[in-house]
Amino acid sequence: MWPGKFGNHPGRFDEIFAMYLRDSLKKRVVEKRDVCRVKVEQMRETEENRHTFAFDHKEEDARIKLCQGLLTVLRRSDHPLCQSTCLETLRILSRDKRVLGPVATKEGILTLAGLARIHVAGHDGEPLEEAQSAEEERVVVEALKCLCNVVFNSVPAQQVGADVKLAEGLCARLPLVSSSHHEVGLFSLRLLFLLSALRSDVRGMLQKEAGAVRLLTDILERTLDVCWVGPYEAAPPKQEALPISSENNELAMEALKALFNITMSDSSDEDNDHQLRLIAGIMRHLLMLKTHTDDKTEEAHSHTINLLSNLPVRCLDVLIDVPVQGGIEMYGGKNMDVVQILLDFMERRIDKGTNYKEGLTPVLSLMTESSRYHREIRRYLKTQVLPPLKDVKERPEIGCTVRNKLVRLMTHVDMAVKQGAAEFLFVLCKESVDNLLKYTGYGNAAGLLMARGLLAGGRGETQYSSDEDSDTEEYKSAKPFINPITGHIELPMPNPMEEMTEEQKEYEAQKLVKMIDELSRKELIRPMGVRKDGTLAPLGEAIHQCSPPPSSDSDSD
């Protein structure tokens, strides 16, 4: 009783499997002729339902019994063809969260772990090297796929996985990950990613006890063909070098995702600096590489940026400190190739215009933090994003430069995107309110200044070098005519009150006061003012604080 129907034969799969299961349980052994007979039918039905993801609620009980039956056969059968076919069926069933009860038990997880040849607590699987035939390797891959589905869809399975130390068993396999067993390595890494993403205790164990950071770093070195020419400097890819193969790229992406989860834990221990700097060096190398398609290259860069965002900011100097490859003299001899790649990535994500929160904010955050603590990176990004102003006839948000695009994001509806863009520009301006307003206008910057308590001007808390930016002659001559709110030169507008009498002006003023009062009473607006410390306060309170104290001196003689 597959959902609705199984392929074009309603109920046919259950009839065949029930008959097979009944006979096999009677004999306590799976005979070869039964295996072959069921194999043909089951393979056909499984192939027809390979892309089934929606399940009929009415037949939930039947699918639960089918899961139980499959596990029973898997525990008793040692025939690879029968095992792989049952696992393929179980993999499709495991997409349904409601039927995983029989599988999400210690016995169920141990059964799958044994078939996947993972050494776990309470069960010793066969070593992977003994999987000589393609059929045996197929069993391992299908068992790993089932474990991925079950762990992803079942909280009890996640708990059992932690109890039997499934992640530790996977770590023992990581040194064997290679192109010769590509799918085994791929789904081992994917399962490790899921376990580390869903269980914080597993993340801590992987980082502190299992040495997963080093193991995953070794995988990245192998799959990306990293050749070290300095302590943390990888040799640059040759011009004629082929792109990363699709298989190696898949392995690298899964390793990056797992590393991202594991490095989310506290990385303040300076003893780990060496390993983290190695990761930063590999990430720099990966950003310089190309894959077989532009989309895959962007995906690789995205995962790389996410992982770099987890590393301590002190380790990011590895991105620009590459003596063998040299750098730009005006930036202290530092190499800015990767910084330019990050900037280009950010601009492409802005131009896409979608999914800003997940696609754009990580790279904005990375460039902001690296600019805040690494002077050379900030200086380089400043020249690329905020070059000296010359033309101020247009609003800062109008145009196609990187500055224009970022200023537009400062008023985005998503708070994270708005704050990320504003904070990045603020850091490039060395957290100087005056400099920020020069490039963005007061209207665009008001949100950031209010959040930072800088509406009255001043600077942020970070200390920067004392070198000052010089204005162009064009900007100096135009500065007196720039509207500070919009950040550009506005054409003179006719004065609407020019031809009004004093009585008309008084009438319009009273009308405006009444409208504001009515909106305030209905709590549609709340008049605010700026305190002396630059923060907002209700208007009455702000006026009271800014008013001079009454004089105690007497005017009389």
Side-chain angles (χ1 to χ4, degrees):
M1 298 181 184
W2 201 260
K5 67 177 190 175
F6 194 94
N8 296 318
H9 308 281
R12 180 61 177 152
F13 176 83
D14 280 335
E15 295 172 11
I16 295 170
F17 192 82
M19 178 179 63
Y20 164 68
L21 181 60
R22 187 169 55 251
D23 291 343
S24 63
L25 290 175
K26 278 182 182 179
K27 298 175 183 179
R28 299 293 180 184
V29 65
V30 180
E31 297 179 6
K32 188 171 183 179
R33 63 176 181 274
D34 291 329
V35 171
C36 295
R37 176 166 52 83
V38 176
K39 172 72 177 174
V40 173
E41 293 289 345
Q42 195 174 349
M43 281 184 67
R44 178 168 57 81
E45 302 291 357
T46 301
E47 181 63 32
E48 292 173 357
N49 288 272
R50 189 174 299 279
H51 302 293
T52 298
F53 289 90
F55 299 90
D56 189 346
H57 290 270
K58 297 178 182 178
E59 301 186 357
E60 195 173 297
D61 291 339
R63 291 196 298 277
I64 293 174
K65 291 179 181 178
L66 185 55
C67 284
Q68 291 172 331
L70 289 167
L71 286 171
T72 301
V73 174
L74 287 170
R75 283 192 287 269
R76 297 182 180 280
S77 172
D78 59 357
H79 197 288
L81 291 176
C82 176
Q83 290 174 337
S84 62
T85 306
C86 290
L87 286 168
E88 287 173 10
T89 306
L90 186 60
R91 171 168 54 84
I92 298 172
L93 286 166
S94 63
R95 297 168 183 166
D96 184 0
K97 297 180 179 181
R98 297 178 299 275
V99 303
L100 293 178
V103 191
T105 61
K106 185 174 182 179
E107 189 175 18
I109 296 297
L110 288 177
T111 299
L112 293 176
L115 292 167
R117 306 199 178 192
I118 302 172
H119 293 271
V120 295
H123 188 281
D124 290 331
E126 299 177 61
L128 180 62
E129 296 91 322
E130 293 183 11
Q132 299 292 337
S133 67
E135 290 82 4
E136 290 173 327
E137 185 167 331
R138 189 78 246 153
V139 171
V140 175
V141 172
E142 288 298 329
L144 285 168
K145 289 180 179 179
C146 287
L147 282 169
C148 287
N149 283 356
V150 173
V151 167
F152 179 72
N153 286 318
S154 171
V155 175
Q158 296 162 19
Q159 180 63 54
V160 173
D163 293 340
V164 301
K165 300 184 178 180
L166 188 58
E168 287 186 71
L170 287 167
C171 285
R173 170 174 289 173
L174 293 185
L176 305 175
V177 171
S178 65
S179 56
S180 59
H181 295 290
H182 171 68
E183 285 196 308
V184 175
L186 180 66
F187 289 102
S188 296
L189 288 169
R190 189 163 296 173
L191 181 55
L192 188 67
F193 160 72
L194 290 170
L195 289 166
S196 59
L198 298 168
R199 298 279 304 196
S200 59
D201 55 340
V202 171
R203 286 199 294 273
M205 180 277 298
L206 287 171
Q207 185 187 53
K208 298 174 183 177
E209 299 174 22
V213 173
R214 178 182 54 79
L215 294 169
L216 291 167
T217 303
D218 291 343
I219 290 175
L220 288 172
E221 287 190 48
R222 294 199 302 271
T223 55
L224 300 176
D225 294 325
V226 176
C227 178
W228 298 106
V229 295
Y232 305 110
E233 180 181 0
K238 297 179 181 178
Q239 293 290 339
E240 65 275 10
L242 295 174
I244 309 172
S245 68
S246 58
E247 289 190 349
N248 281 346
N249 187 58
E250 284 182 330
L251 290 173
M253 294 308 98
E254 293 300 328
L256 285 174
K257 288 155 58 178
L259 263 177
F260 173 81
N261 290 337
I262 297 169
T263 54
M264 285 178 67
S265 303
D266 181 28
S267 301
S268 59
D269 184 4
E270 295 191 7
D271 293 338
N272 293 328
D273 264 16
H274 172 68
Q275 197 65 47
L276 297 176
R277 286 177 181 275
L278 278 179
I279 294 174
I282 296 172
M283 295 304 96
R284 184 188 191 282
H285 180 69
L286 180 53
L287 287 170
M288 303 295 293
L289 295 175
K290 298 289 184 183
T291 63
H292 49 290
T293 67
D294 290 341
D295 287 343
K296 289 295 182 182
T297 299
E298 184 163 341
E299 180 188 1
H301 288 181
S302 178
H303 289 308
T304 302
I305 289 165
N306 290 341
L307 180 52
L308 283 171
S309 299
N310 273 358
L311 301 184
V313 71
R314 64 179 180 271
C315 297
L316 297 182
D317 58 348
V318 172
L319 299 179
I320 59 175
D321 191 10
V322 280
V324 174
Q325 299 171 50
I328 305 174
E329 185 177 349
M330 65 181 294
Y331 300 108
K334 305 298 183 182
N335 190 304
M336 295 295 165
D337 292 346
V338 163
V339 180
Q340 185 61 51
I341 290 173
L342 294 176
L343 186 59
D344 293 340
F345 178 90
M346 180 201 72
E347 191 169 5
R348 285 196 302 272
R349 285 294 171 95
I350 294 176
D351 292 342
K352 279 188 174 182
T354 56
N355 196 24
Y356 279 156
K357 188 167 186 177
E358 294 181 5
L360 179 62
T361 52
V363 68
L364 276 175
S365 174
L366 175 62
M367 291 198 297
T368 300
E369 292 307 307
S370 58
S371 297
R372 181 176 275 125
Y373 292 100
H374 297 285
R375 177 173 177 264
E376 294 83 7
I377 294 178
R378 176 183 56 76
R379 288 181 59 215
Y380 179 80
L381 288 173
K382 173 72 182 298
T383 61
Q384 303 300 312
V385 178
L386 299 177
L389 282 177
K390 294 183 179 180
D391 185 4
V392 286
K393 294 178 182 178
E394 292 287 353
R395 288 173 176 262
E397 64 269 24
I398 296 176
C400 57
T401 66
V402 182
R403 174 178 76 105
N404 301 143
K405 295 172 183 179
L406 287 167
V407 172
R408 284 197 289 272
L409 291 179
M410 293 176 75
T411 53
H412 195 272
V413 293
D414 189 288
M415 185 63 69
V417 176
K418 176 167 63 175
Q419 290 177 344
E423 191 73 19
F424 177 50
L425 292 175
F426 192 44
V427 169
L428 293 188
C429 293
K430 295 191 286 190
E431 299 190 19
S432 166
V433 172
D434 290 342
N435 283 342
L436 180 68
L437 297 182
K438 178 174 74 174
Y439 287 103
T440 68
Y442 195 91
N444 293 312
L448 172 75
L449 301 181
M450 181 184 68
R452 298 286 294 265
L454 294 171
L455 286 169
R459 284 184 175 271
E461 297 177 357
T462 307
Q463 298 296 319
Y464 294 90
S465 57
S466 58
D467 57 304
E468 295 296 334
D469 300 317
S470 57
D471 294 328
T472 62
E473 292 300 324
E474 294 90 338
Y475 178 78
K476 289 178 180 178
S477 60
K479 187 174 180 180
F481 309 101
I482 296 175
N483 184 330
I485 302 299
T486 60
H488 81 302
I489 297 176
E490 290 184 343
L491 295 175
M493 300 292 289
N495 185 356
M497 302 177 66
E498 189 172 350
E499 298 181 358
M500 285 186 181
T501 64
E502 292 301 321
E503 289 78 6
Q504 288 175 318
K505 293 178 184 178
E506 181 69 22
Y507 172 77
E508 292 296 336
Q510 291 294 334
K511 184 179 176 181
L512 179 61
V513 170
K514 288 180 181 178
M515 290 171 63
I516 294 175
D517 183 60
E518 184 178 356
L519 291 172
S520 300
R521 291 178 185 277
K522 293 180 179 179
E523 296 186 352
L524 296 175
I525 65 171
R526 187 181 182 190
M528 305 289 284
V530 182
R531 296 189 183 101
K532 290 181 179 181
D533 62 1
T535 59
L536 283 179
L539 186 59
E541 181 184 335
I543 292 174
H544 176 72
Q545 284 193 3
C546 293
S547 299
S551 175
S552 60
D553 298 334
S554 173
D555 290 337
S556 64
D557 294 331

